[in-house]
Amino acid sequence: MSLRLRNEQKNYMDVGTFATPNYAYINEGFTDFSESKNSVEYARTYIGDKSERTNVTGYAPSVSYACDVYDEDPVVQAVVEITDKEMLGSDTERDIVQYNTFDEETAGSGIYKAIKRRWAVIPDSKAGGVGTDALIYTGAMKAVGAIIEGSFDISSKTFTED
């Protein structure tokens, strides 16, 4: 039995265009990238039951983020652009691919079982911190549709749907 570490899960954001995807590693500057599933529940108590029954009927996933601003990081710059330009609608949406480094399809191949999902970037704040601290942007990303299962090739940074 092995304890898995946070750095074994990798996330890549598409910072390219719909026609030409360009996946960039979400790492530099990010101090928070926590996913909440936000399960949707259906609960009821039948007349002959003493306690409630609950089923999961859906999900409303979200990711909370916080990032220090680095000029050269394409993911941070995508968040900065969405925030500073107060973008709306589909202009705020980005695809994110997620995989675990322990889910390599074939040892040594550099191709991992992965999921892709579209997310809307929803800015919250930008702050300079206290004194001479870094400029920090915070917010959430909320799911725009279901996950797509597939594989991610880390050398070519391409996602292939199953």
Side-chain angles (χ1 to χ4, degrees), residues 110-132:
I111 300 172
Y112 296 85
K113 296 176 191 172
I115 57 170
K116 179 174 83 168
R117 173 176 258 151
R118 192 139 185 88
W119 297 88
V121 178
I122 302 170
D124 180 34
S125 69
K126 61 180 183 178
V130 178
T132 58

Side-chain angles (χ1 to χ4, degrees), residues 9 13-14 20-21 31 41 45 50-51 71 73 76 84 91 95 100 103-104 106 110 112 121 127 146 152 156-158:
Q9 185 176 78
M13 178 187 282
D14 182 0
T20 310
T31 56
E41 300 174 9
T45 304
K50 290 184 177 183
S51 60
D71 291 339
D73 188 274
V76 170
D84 288 353
D91 290 340
D95 287 338
N100 296 315
D103 280 340
E104 195 168 17
T106 305
Y112 296 85
V121 178
F152 189 70
S156 64
K157 293 186 177 65
T158 55

